[in-house]
Amino acid sequence: MPKKENVFSSWRGWCGRVTSRLVHRGWRAVQRAGAVTAERPGPYRFGRIGVGTRLAFPQGTLFGEPWIELGEHCVIGEQVTLTAGMMPDVDLGPEPVLRIGNGVVLGRGSHVIASVCVEFGDDVFCGPYVYVTSDNHSYDDPDQPIGRQWPRSAPVHIGPGSWLGAGAVILPGARLGRNVVVAAGAVVRGEVPDHAVVAGAPARIIRRWAPDEGWQPPLRTPAPVPIPEDMTVEQLLALAELERERERGRGREREQAGERKLDVAEHGLEREPGAGAS
């Protein structure tokens, strides 16, 4: 049965809708104002922020900014932690500790922790909640709490063009080559060669490109056909409409074939194999 509404309930619903719009509009304004860019660095003094780079608001933990360099046209998602050094206000010397190349994407909630050199090559894409660290707690003394034992540190390098899936963990000393794929949830340590796909904990190579053989093992699906660079938006829309028309034509053909089979069955024109006239 329809619910009975009075003037008061209608007014309350209208107020709720207006309040919701105002809250969302206000939050979008806060996000725009709180984003960190080269032109609007806010309270942070990074060693470098390239043109077109943006750190979304709200930011995660940020310290050691003078030893952090961000390349051009990077996208740093919300709640991303970027730290250089074990703690704030420590002099780390003349060289940058955390270097992020051009066109790098760090997904929401990712953490990059660097007390020694951590380097991202150009065009590295990271899903949400990726964890990259140059430090790991040691366990030399079985009687001491692990969190109180001095960590071991080693540089990390992530090659250009790589893709780190959601929740991937890159441990101290890891060196990823060019165009490496790290599967979601993988834990990577040690060296990974160029053009490899790794998965698991600890991560192992599950596919790799060989110049003389191609992908080994072979890809399960064909590669997508790239869009020509000189194709216009109008041409793309026309191509999409042509593909839809072809699909509709194939659908009509399937319907007609089904109707023919049904007609044959209804009129008894199909015979059992080997059957003849009596």
Side-chain angles (χ1 to χ4, degrees), residues 83-94:
T83 66
M86 295 287 187
M87 59 189 71
D89 302 321
V90 175
D91 189 346
L92 302 176

Side-chain angles (χ1 to χ4, degrees), residues 36-39 46-54 69-74 100 102:
V36 171
T37 64
E39 296 77 19
F46 288 96
R48 175 175 178 254
I49 304 182
V51 175
T53 288
R54 181 186 180 92
E69 292 187 351
L70 306 174
E72 299 178 358
H73 304 290
C74 295
I100 293 180
N102 300 325

Side-chain angles (χ1 to χ4, degrees), residues 243-255:
E243 185 59 33
R244 284 193 292 268
E245 185 60 36
R246 287 176 178 170
E247 185 58 36
R248 285 193 289 267
R250 287 192 287 266
R252 286 193 293 269
E253 289 177 359
R254 287 192 293 267
E255 290 177 2

